[in-house]
Every structure is written in C-alpha cells, then in structure tokens.
Amino acid sequence: MKFSLLKSASIAALCAATTVMAIDPIVIKGSKFFNGKTGEQFYFKGVAYQPRTGLTAENPDPLADAVGCKRDVELFKDLGINSIRVYEVDYNKNHDTCMKLLEDAGIYLFLDMPSPKYSINRANPYWDHDLMSHWAAKVDAFAKYPNLVAWIAGNEVANDKTTTPSAAFVKAAIRDMKAYLKSKGLSTPVGYADNDDMDIRMNLINYFNCGDEETRADFYGINIYRWCGDDATFETSGYADVTKNMTEYTIPSLLTEFGCNAIRPRTFHDIKSIYGPDMSNTFSGGIVYEFTEEDNNYGLVKVSYGSIKVEKTDDYENLKQAYAGVTPKGIKMSEYRPSGRPSVCPPVSSVWAVKADALPPTPSSARCQCMMDSLGCTLKSTELTPDEGKVLGEAVGSICGQTSCNEISYDTSKGNYGNYVACDSAQRSAWALDKSYINSRYTQCKVNGVDTITVKSPKQKDTAECLTMKDDMGNISAPSTPVEDDNGSEINDSDENDSDARDFDEESDDNDGSSRKSSSKTSSASRATISLNQLGAAAAVIMAVMAC
C-alpha cells in the first residue's frame, strides 16, 4: 500500500505495514499530507516533467526513457526536489528503471490519468467504457510502484463558464476510478487540477469537495500563473485571495502548476510565500512548470530524447536556490485534529450548468452491448475511417435534429442522463441509425459512404433487460433519468422536436498541461446540451478518433 486516505484508527497499522519500503509512504489526514512513517507534515517541492524535444514515438513517455531518466534524476537531486508531475505515459511500456531511479532518489510521482487521446473533452464531454478501460490500464501498470503518490483525473477540463458541464463527467470519472482502485486493494488518492478561472473557480473548488465521499476528490490542485516578476507580492499577485479561498477546505490542496514566465529569468520569489507563513498552513507545496525548455519557454533545462547532453537555463539555478531556502515545518500528524465539513455544492446558475446531486452513469459495456444486440439497423463495423466518421457524424446529426435522441443525450443542469450516454460514440451512432430505421417504418437503413446492415431478428428482443445489466464495476445500475425538453416534460420516442443530444465529438481537447500556453481555449455553447445537427463540419474530427 503506497498511499492512504486515513481514518485516525488506521494510521498505526499503515505505518507498521509499510516499513519495508525504500521510500516512506505519504498519507492524507484531513487537509494535509504526512509522511506515514515519521508523522511529519509533508510538503511537495516538485517540477512538471514531460520532455518533448527530439521525441519520435507516437505516445510520449518520459518514464520509459532510461537514458533520459538517468540524466534527469541526477538533476532532480541537485535541484532538491521530492516530486514530479508527469502528464502522459504509455502504459504498455516498461517503467521499472525510471521508477526505481526516482524511488532511490526519494522522488514521488503525480501521474495524470488522462492523455490527449483518452481524456474528457471539455467542449463535448463523455465518460464511457473506452476511456475508463484506458485509465484502468494505466492504474494497473503503475500500481506496483511505491513512489506513485497520487493520480490526477483531470487537468483544466472545465476552464470557463461555458464548459462547466464537463465537471460532471470528471467527477463521475473520479467516482469510478476511486472504486476501481478500491477493487484492486489500492488507496492511491485521485484529485483534480483547475486553471484558476475567476468566474468558476469557487464553484469548482466546492463541487469537487461536496457530496458523498465516494464521489469527492481526495485532493485539489490549482494551476496558477499570477506571481510574475520581482515586483509582485503575496497580496498584489492574487496569491492571498487564492489562499483565503482554501483556508476552510477539508481535503489537501497544492499548486499543481506554478511559475509565471512573463519575465525571464524567473526568480521564483513566490516560493517563500508558498512554503512560508503565508501559505504553508493551507497548501501542501507545489509543482513548478516545467523541467524542460519547450516551445512555450518555461524550461529549467534544454535536453533531447536519446541524448545525455544538458544545458541549464538561468531558471534552473534560481529554482535550486529558492527551494533550498525554504524548510516548512508544519504540524505532527499525531497532534493534528482535522475539523470542518465538506463543501456545499454550488447551485445551477448562469456560470454553472451542473446539478450537483446527479452524475453521469458508470459505464456498462454489458448494457451497451445488449443495446447493440437489439438493433435492427446498425453499423457493419465500429472501426471507421475518418471519411466514414465524417459522413456518419453528419447523418446522426441530421437524425437527432428531427427526432428524439434522449437515450444518448444529457442535460447536466437538470441532472438528466440518457440510458446509453455512457456507450461509446460508435454505439451511440448505431442507436441513432436504428431510431431512424424505426421511424421510416423499417425501410431506410442506409448512410452513403458507411457500411450498414439490417438484422431481421435481433438477438436481444427486450431492451428493458439491457437496463438491468451490471455496470463495469459489477453494480446493477438503475435506469437513468430521461432528458427533458425545454418545457420540462420528458422526451419520448415519438417526440419530433430538437433532441438536445450531444457528445459525438470525440476529439481529444488537449487537456494535459504539456501544451500549456500553446493553444487557445476551446469555445462552446453555454447550454448544458447541444443538438447533434449543430455539429456540421466538425464531424470529420468528431468521428475520426473512433478509428484510432
């Protein structure tokens, strides 16, 4: 057991069980991290680590690059850091060498669960079996490493008031991944990192710490780039406001990215506040963005994949001195008495389109397969080319613009989710094609450019049985609440109005911090749901990812 969310009664048992580890376990008690062996409060002094220069592999993975790890771990030790954050890895590769080097150096790992290909899209969010299976595979690949300190389930996903519906899907992912970890006998915490947006930051902070313990984040991260240059102070930078927002928080918080680069070289004067009296009672340290110099100009060093050559920037020595100059003490775990209650969930408003007491369903591959087995008109293959995906996306958009697609749509502001909203995009497309086939009185099962087939006698006769199928965590999930129309009445199969269906956009909106400051924000409608017939030309990208 590497990491625990502790009740006070379990602390002694954990410490006794982990004494054989080369690296001490880090545990959570209340709103603080502690060294589970010594009982000392723990502060993260970290850097973000995602080298990209010289990369040739399709799936970036710095923790599978033994040459780079041997080169960089020596630099980590010289910098005096105790943690790194990595955004993307390939779980099919071997990470033993790098993880052992990090462990021996006393360095803990924050690892993001999503990757650009398999992340919750902020503009058109979804949470399905395909995503969950990839995240679970990453968990399985890293579960054995004692220095894996925490998982991050989302990075700046809801990043403005128009993308808040995505928060519901991230919270559903946190719920399911916590359950998955528990089913494997693991207790590694799962958290979220926000982008410090002024309009929605308090809603996000409260949302991820409200409700049942099973759905709440285990810790909360803030990516903050406010302290710019030597003239900034704790007050003028806005750090004082951010700290004030978190003083009553009942789970740990830290700066999951910091280090404004508006003025270079960076002097990191904010570190004195982060690890000093200003913030150390509220935050558990932070992670400087980022280790390697890339196109966005945040680097401490210049390196390239496959090379042992290192060129340090002026930022490197400045950070080394800044980290060496702070030694926060904190409180002993045995003396700490957590207080307070979880946050109050934010209400639906003009800047927050999520009903707090309802989450998207846990994916159920059995339910989705049962639905597929019931279709009289379906896709010949769910493996599509980009051109086929474009054609199909436009066809489905047209279908759902003319008839109800309530079973594959959702409205986060009302907490309504269709029974098949957690099926993958190909399955949802097939459902829509079958709906059109039924409406045509079983005469039209054709999409030009996409192979479809009719099934005279589907294997599954009664779709009601599909709704009783267990979800992917082995639980029997209740049928979902139908999506309602604008008048508040439930949409039924005969309704010809706009369906408010969405979520055929499978483009992986680049939610990982490795592209920080290099791309503009994705815009979307402020409504919690949109119509499929609004997707139009975007369908080329929408369905192309299905072929990946």
Side-chain angles (χ1 to χ4, degrees):
M1 185 180 296
K2 304 174 285 298
F3 197 111
S4 295
L5 300 177
L6 293 178
K7 305 299 182 183
S8 58
S10 65
I11 294 172
L14 175 70
C15 294
T18 55
T19 53
V20 297
M21 289 185 176
I23 192 169
D24 291 345
I26 304 302
V27 301
I28 286 174
K29 182 180 179 182
S31 62
K32 303 182 186 301
F33 291 94
F34 292 92
N35 181 308
K37 185 177 180 179
T38 68
E40 299 288 340
Q41 188 174 345
F42 191 86
Y43 293 88
F44 294 99
K45 293 182 178 180
V47 296
Y49 184 60
Q50 194 73 48
R52 302 181 287 288
T53 299
L55 179 68
T56 58
E58 181 180 353
N59 298 317
D61 189 346
L63 300 182
D65 175 21
V67 173
C69 286
K70 291 175 183 177
R71 173 197 66 212
D72 295 337
V73 168
E74 292 304 311
L75 296 170
F76 294 162
K77 291 189 289 186
D78 182 58
L79 277 171
I81 66 171
N82 60 19
S83 50
I84 61 172
R85 177 183 175 185
V86 174
Y87 301 89
E88 186 174 3
V89 296
D90 183 346
Y91 54 75
N92 293 304
K93 294 180 179 178
N94 186 285
H95 305 95
D96 291 350
T97 298
C98 288
M99 291 302 291
K100 181 59 175 172
L101 286 168
L102 291 167
E103 179 188 352
D104 290 344
I107 295 173
Y108 297 91
L109 169 67
F110 285 87
L111 185 56
D112 285 42
M113 283 180 165
S115 63
K117 278 189 177 181
Y118 300 105
S119 59
I120 294 172
N121 186 303
R122 64 170 63 94
N124 296 291
Y126 65 95
W127 173 242
D128 62 25
H129 170 76
D130 190 39
L131 274 183
M132 186 172 173
S133 64
H134 281 281
W135 293 22
K138 188 178 288 187
V139 167
D140 293 344
F142 280 83
K144 63 182 178 179
Y145 300 120
N147 51 332
L148 173 66
V149 76
W151 293 102
I152 296 177
N155 185 70
E156 303 185 3
V157 185
N159 65 352
D160 59 30
K161 62 185 179 181
T162 70
T163 57
T164 59
S166 64
F169 290 85
V170 175
K171 195 165 183 177
I174 289 175
R175 172 201 64 203
D176 293 338
M177 295 313 299
K178 286 177 66 171
Y180 181 78
L181 285 159
K182 184 177 181 180
S183 74
K184 297 290 184 178
L186 303 168
S187 52
T188 317
V190 182
Y192 179 74
D194 80 13
N195 70 321
D196 190 34
D197 181 82
M198 299 291 285
D199 290 331
I200 64 172
R201 65 182 182 186
M202 286 311 303
N203 286 331
L204 286 169
I205 288 168
N206 291 329
Y207 182 66
F208 283 103
N209 187 39
C210 77
D212 297 334
E213 183 177 353
E214 292 77 12
T215 67
R216 297 197 300 264
D218 297 323
F219 67 93
Y220 196 83
I222 298 175
N223 298 345
I224 186 169
Y225 293 84
R226 297 192 189 195
W227 195 308
C228 302
D230 293 345
D231 294 334
T233 67
F234 179 60
E235 288 77 18
T236 63
S237 65
Y239 272 43
D241 295 332
V242 173
T243 303
K244 183 179 179 180
N245 293 337
M246 308 301 290
T247 53
E248 302 299 323
Y249 216 45
T250 57
I251 59 174
S253 56
L254 69 151
L255 305 185
T256 36
E257 290 178 10
F258 75 94
C260 173
N261 71 343
I263 301 173
R264 293 192 75 179
R266 296 181 288 176
T267 53
F268 302 104
H269 284 181
D270 48 351
I271 282 178
K272 289 183 179 179
S273 282
I274 296 170
Y275 298 91
D278 289 338
M279 300 173 68
S280 63
N281 192 47
T282 302
F283 290 96
S284 296
I287 299 170
V288 168
Y289 191 86
E290 66 177 317
F291 184 67
T292 57
E293 182 79 343
E294 309 292 346
D295 292 340
N296 51 11
N297 300 316
Y298 279 86
L300 306 175
V301 300
K302 296 179 181 180
V303 296
S304 181
Y305 267 88
S307 172
I308 61 172
K309 183 180 178 181
V310 176
E311 180 182 346
K312 298 176 182 176
T313 69
D314 291 337
D315 289 9
Y316 180 96
E317 290 298 332
N318 290 342
L319 179 62
K320 178 180 176 179
Q321 291 179 22
Y323 269 154
V326 292
T327 310
K329 295 296 183 183
I331 188 172
K332 281 277 191 178
M333 184 164 58
S334 59
E335 299 171 358
Y336 175 53
R337 301 291 181 266
S339 61
R341 296 182 177 181
S343 305
V344 175
C345 293
V348 173
S349 68
S350 61
V351 298
W352 186 255
V354 181
K355 186 179 180 182
D357 61 355
L359 289 176
T362 299
S364 171
S365 52
R367 175 184 287 193
C368 295
Q369 186 57 55
C370 178
M371 178 271 288
M372 292 292 286
D373 290 341
S374 74
L375 304 181
C377 171
T378 189
L379 299 169
K380 186 174 182 180
S381 173
T382 57
E383 298 294 326
L384 304 174
T385 66
D387 287 342
E388 290 172 331
K390 177 181 178 180
V391 171
L392 181 59
E394 292 172 347
V396 171
S398 177
I399 292 167
C400 291
Q402 301 175 51
T403 189
S404 165
C405 285
N406 62 312
E407 293 282 28
I408 55 173
S409 63
Y410 60 83
D411 184 341
T412 59
S413 68
K414 296 178 180 178
N416 296 335
Y417 300 91
N419 282 309
Y420 303 115
V421 74
C423 299
D424 67 36
S425 58
Q427 292 168 329
R428 297 193 300 272
S429 298
W431 184 94
L433 294 178
D434 186 67
K435 183 67 179 295
S436 177
Y437 180 58
I438 293 171
N439 288 350
S440 72
R441 300 184 183 276
Y442 307 98
T443 61
Q444 296 293 325
C445 180
K446 183 178 181 181
V447 177
N448 291 331
V450 179
D451 289 335
T452 59
I453 57 172
T454 57
V455 182
K456 291 184 179 180
S457 182
K459 290 191 295 182
Q460 182 63 39
K461 304 298 182 183
D462 183 8
T463 55
E465 292 184 9
C466 299
L467 306 186
T468 66
M469 298 290 182
K470 291 183 178 180
D471 63 35
D472 290 348
M473 290 308 303
N475 303 309
I476 297 177
S477 53
S480 303
T481 303
V483 177
E484 299 176 345
D485 63 19
D486 291 335
N487 296 320
S489 60
E490 293 183 1
I491 298 175
N492 56 52
D493 287 348
S494 62
D495 193 325
E496 295 298 323
N497 295 326
D498 185 298
S499 67
D500 275 350
R502 72 182 292 174
D503 190 24
F504 282 79
D505 188 344
E506 295 277 330
E507 179 184 11
S508 180
D509 187 32
D510 199 0
N511 291 329
D512 76 300
S514 61
S515 60
R516 178 91 192 164
K517 309 293 186 184
S518 63
S519 61
S520 61
K521 292 181 179 180
T522 303
S523 61
S524 67
S526 60
R527 294 192 49 163
T529 52
I530 62 173
S531 301
L532 284 171
N533 62 356
Q534 292 176 318
L535 294 176
V541 181
I542 291 168
M543 305 305 288
V545 176
M546 291 166 47
C548 295

